[in-house]
Amino acid sequence: QLNIARFYAEAVVTTIHEPLLVLSEDFKIKSANKSFYKTFSLTEEEAIGQILFGLQRNGWNIPGLSSQLLKIQKGDEKFLEWELTYNFPKVGRRTICFNAQPVQKENAANWILLAFNDITERKDREKREKKNAEDLKNILENMPLITFTASPVGLVTYFNEFFLNYSGITIAEALGGGWTKNEVIKPDMFDDVVKRWKHAMETGEGFNTEVRLKRKSDNMYRWHLGRAAAIRNEEGVITSWVGAAIDIHDQKTKEEAKDEFISIASHELKTPLTTAKAYIQMLQSSMEKSNYKDLIFAQKAGTSIDRLNDLVGELLDVSKIQNGMLNLSISEFNFNDMVADAIEGAQYTSPDHVITCTGHIEKLVTGDKERLQQVVINLLTNAVKYSPKADKVLVNMVQEKGSIKVSVKDNGIGVLKENLDKIFLRYYREEKRAIHFQGLGIGLSICYEIIQRHHGKIWAESNYGKGTTFYFTIPV
């Protein structure tokens, strides 16, 4: 029997990393592993042969420990697991999970294997997470907008009272999918919202969408901006999602009214502008033949009309984008020639800047040549406009694996880092510079839409005060 106990003890010492003891029938320590000594600041001399409860001057007289071990010793239990929090000598207050099982001996009291698993940090973390969850819930509940939480896989676990009052459904209906059944989301938008939500769950990227939600008081579908972000633990694993939806209906309605006005005004302006342009061209032609001294004024008038015509064209493009009518005329074309033509036109109107191009695209490209040239021209125009004290603009083309990458680099005033994502929004202009440079703030938003329609990407990098580089890629 003694040999059996020693065998168990030796096995424990060599294989288990958690603190562990072998106790005799009178609860004396027969063997312990190194982890036990280290964890509880004990030496082998202080422990071996001592009664467990008397260790460190009776500091181990842990309430309830003896009664649990007696169950094992008497054979009442084959395995016991329990946890308790105790102020251990030299170690301090710790939460320990105890595991005990018998070392079987025939016709005699059982020896005991006793393992210690320190779960203090886990318990503390659980307490913090519980408190954080409660604090978050209190914050979300008192927000004057729709808020919600979801599990790591996207199942909604909470809606605040604001949403329940807005939608008129119960929390049980909300968590059970009743908000879907009650058509809280406008039916024709539902599939797109679900698609975006699934994408966020699969990638861990933030959820962002504009959606119309039905208000119970008048059954009106109002525009909301919905967003959700992942909450991650210390290891970077997603533990939950937190989201909100804010009512943007009034803002959206104003934008739609503005876009409608712009669309109508742009169409109305197009015809008289075309006529005026024709008359100016006729006047220029007549003056050139007669060598008239005031020809310069006619040329300037023509340039102004061209500029106005471009602005009207941009406004029409915005209207088409809003109505999903910015159609592409797809064909196969020489990308190098397209860029060269764009540079030639930009160079002609910007004689004070030198525009150079490097790189060459070997393959023909399939896309809308005119729209892509519009992107290049817009980027070149911006590079020149925002580089009043510089004289060089560099265009580079490179064919990468499966795509073409184009960059337009200037040495101008640059863009603040926090505004780099905003510059592609419709009508956005940096406030401090809007008074110094003309424009409506829609050119880059049109470029963004054109590149998106070509399944590409467009972005900017900038060193504030030293210049900006715009990039776009499109599939070959």
Side-chain angles (χ1 to χ4, degrees), residues 336-398:
N336 306 290
D337 293 344
M338 180 274 288
V339 173
D341 291 342
I343 292 174
E344 182 180 355
Q347 186 69 83
Y348 176 76
T349 57
S350 309
D352 295 333
H353 288 73
V354 177
I355 304 174
T356 58
C357 181
T358 57
H360 186 80
I361 306 303
E362 297 294 337
K363 296 182 178 181
L364 294 177
V365 174
T366 300
D368 189 323
K369 178 181 178 181
E370 299 301 322
R371 287 298 185 184
L372 289 173
Q373 189 173 67
Q374 181 181 351
V375 172
V376 177
I377 291 173
N378 189 285
L379 297 181
L380 289 172
T381 302
N382 280 354
V384 170
K385 179 167 67 173
Y386 293 107
S387 306
K389 296 181 180 180
D391 60 359
K392 290 182 176 63
V393 175
L394 177 62
V395 180
N396 178 255
M397 302 180 294
V398 61

Side-chain angles (χ1 to χ4, degrees), residues 154-170:
L155 297 176
V156 179
T157 55
Y158 163 79
F159 277 112
N160 68 344
E161 196 70 24
F162 188 97
F163 172 75
L164 303 180
N165 293 333
Y166 179 92
S167 62
I169 63 178
T170 66

